[in-house]
Structure formats: C-alpha cells, structure tokens
Amino acid sequence: MSEVFEGYERQYCELSTNLSRKCGAAASVIDGDQKHKEIIELQSGLDEADVLIRKMDLEARSLQPSVKAMLLAKLREYKSDLTKLKREVKKLASAKSTAHEELLESGMANAHMASAGQRERLEMSTERLNQSSERIKESRRAVFETEELGVSILQDLHQQRETLLNSHAKLHGVDDAIDKSKKVLTSMSRRMSKNKWILGSVIGALVLAIIFILWFKLTH
C-alpha cells in the first residue's frame, strides 16, 4: 500500500474521530455564542476532511489496478462516514438558526418594554455576528480555493513524473542500442585487422615465390 495514502488515511481517521466527538459535545451546548463557535469549528474540520478525501482519491488512482480497487472501496466508506458527519453538523446549524430566530422574535415581542439602549445593543450584536459569519465564509472559500490549487499541482506533478519515467526508459533503450553498436563495430574492426594481416602474408609469400622463380631461371 502507498505510504502517502496511509499518511492521508491516518490524518483523516484522527480528524473524523475528533469531529464526531465535537459534534456530540456541541449538541449539548446551550449558550448561543459558544454553540455558534463550535459549529464554525466543525464546518472548518469538515472542509479539511474533504481535502483529505480528495488527496486519498488522487493517490489511490495513481497506483496499480489491484491496489487501487482496494483503496477506492475503503475510500467509499470514508466518504459515507463524512456524509453522515455533514448531516449531523447541518442539523446542529439548523437548530441553532431556529433558536436564534426565536430569540429575535421574542426580542421583537418585548421591544415595547425594552429600552432604546437594549435594542441598540441587540442590533449591534446581531450585526457583529453577521459580519463574523461573512468573514468566516470568505476565509473558508479562500482555503478551499488554495486546496483545489494544491490538488491540481499534485496532479500535474504526477503526470510529469510519469513523463520522466517514460523518458528514462527510452534513454535506457538507446544506451543499450549504442552498446550493441559499439560491440559490432569493435568486432568488425578486429576482423578487418585480422584480414589485413592475412592479406599481407599472402602478398609476401607471392613476392618470395616470384623472386625464387626468377632466381632459379637466371641461375640455370
């Protein structure tokens, strides 16, 4: 199994366990501000879990088919687990929103008895809460875009690694061909050198034979 996948898997399991625990704890929180904070942390954790799921998916698809099938099956279980967590957090957020609306309605019903200062503080608190929510949404959007860019870069790097591996294999094949060519040329060179010696010997023998025949004729 891929060490990279195991690393992502370990991070996800720890994060999932932590989110489940926090989700159960947040359900029992009564204080509105504290509950809002808990929900924001849970949503941030869910975004992080989404990123880990995407990274595991990318890594699994880059492996051998036999290993990939096993990891993708495991990944489907993690996705199902994450979907359940998202539903639980959504229920918490809906319950918090309903309680907030009831609080506003109650405040409006008692507005005639409240002082101008109390109404102003309530409006300011609501405005600050909305502004905080918007800032958190913007931060989450920026983090998500950055993570998407990171996943895209990982995919590009994986493709480049495959290209380099293929190029290395081709260069290895060229080196083998060059080595074979060198061996053939060396063998041919040796044969040519050997043939030169044989030809020289034959020519020398012929010259000696001719000299001997001339000498024989001249002396007899």
Side-chain angles (χ1 to χ4, degrees):
M1 185 183 296
S2 167
E3 292 183 2
V4 176
F5 185 92
E6 289 179 347
Y8 292 148
E9 183 181 26
R10 190 161 48 251
Q11 293 178 42
Y12 173 79
C13 291
E14 292 175 358
L15 181 60
S16 177
T17 302
N18 190 31
L19 288 174
S20 298
R21 180 179 56 77
K22 284 187 176 181
C23 196
S28 60
V29 174
I30 299 176
D31 182 77
D33 291 338
Q34 181 62 28
K35 193 164 192 174
H36 177 73
K37 181 181 178 181
E38 293 284 344
I39 290 172
I40 293 300
E41 290 180 357
L42 285 169
Q43 289 173 340
S44 178
L46 290 175
D47 290 340
E48 186 178 349
D50 270 327
V51 173
L52 289 172
I53 287 290
R54 287 196 297 274
K55 289 180 178 179
M56 283 191 286
D57 184 75
L58 178 64
E59 180 63 22
R61 294 181 187 280
S62 68
L63 300 175
Q64 296 295 330
S66 58
V67 180
K68 178 172 69 174
M70 179 184 66
L71 295 183
L72 288 178
K74 184 182 291 188
L75 197 57
R76 282 193 291 271
E77 296 178 4
Y78 291 151
K79 288 180 179 179
S80 176
D81 174 65
L82 184 60
T83 301
K84 292 178 183 178
L85 281 174
K86 287 180 178 179
R87 289 199 196 103
E88 292 180 12
V89 174
K90 188 175 181 180
K91 287 180 182 179
L92 287 173
S94 298
K96 182 259 177 188
S97 177
T98 302
H100 182 65
E101 290 175 358
E102 290 176 354
L103 178 62
L104 290 178
E105 290 175 359
S106 176
M108 292 176 64
N110 298 324
H112 296 292
M113 295 185 296
S115 65
Q118 290 175 330
R119 288 199 301 271
E120 184 177 355
R121 284 194 296 272
L122 178 61
E123 291 174 358
M124 289 176 64
S125 297
T126 303
E127 184 178 356
R128 283 197 298 269
L129 181 62
N130 291 334
Q131 290 175 353
S132 298
S133 298
E134 288 298 323
R135 284 196 296 269
I136 291 170
K137 287 180 181 179
E138 289 295 329
S139 299
R140 288 174 56 198
R141 188 179 299 111
V143 170
F144 181 76
E145 290 175 355
T146 303
E147 289 166 349
E148 286 290 335
L149 178 60
V151 171
S152 176
I153 291 172
L154 285 175
Q155 290 175 338
D156 291 340
L157 289 175
H158 176 70
Q159 292 175 356
Q160 291 175 9
R161 184 184 68 178
E162 291 295 328
T163 302
L164 289 173
L165 289 175
N166 291 334
S167 300
H168 179 73
K170 291 178 180 178
L171 288 173
H172 184 68
V174 171
D175 288 340
D176 289 342
I178 290 173
D179 289 339
K180 290 179 180 178
S181 299
K182 285 181 178 179
K183 290 178 181 179
V184 171
L185 289 174
T186 301
S187 177
M188 291 176 64
S189 176
R190 288 175 180 174
R191 289 178 183 176
M192 290 176 65
S193 178
K194 183 177 180 181
N195 290 337
K196 285 180 180 179
W197 281 104
I198 293 172
L199 182 61
S201 298
V202 171
I203 292 173
L206 289 173
V207 169
L208 289 174
I210 292 170
I211 292 171
F212 177 76
I213 292 170
L214 292 173
W215 176 79
F216 182 79
K217 286 183 177 181
L218 290 174
T219 56
H220 292 80

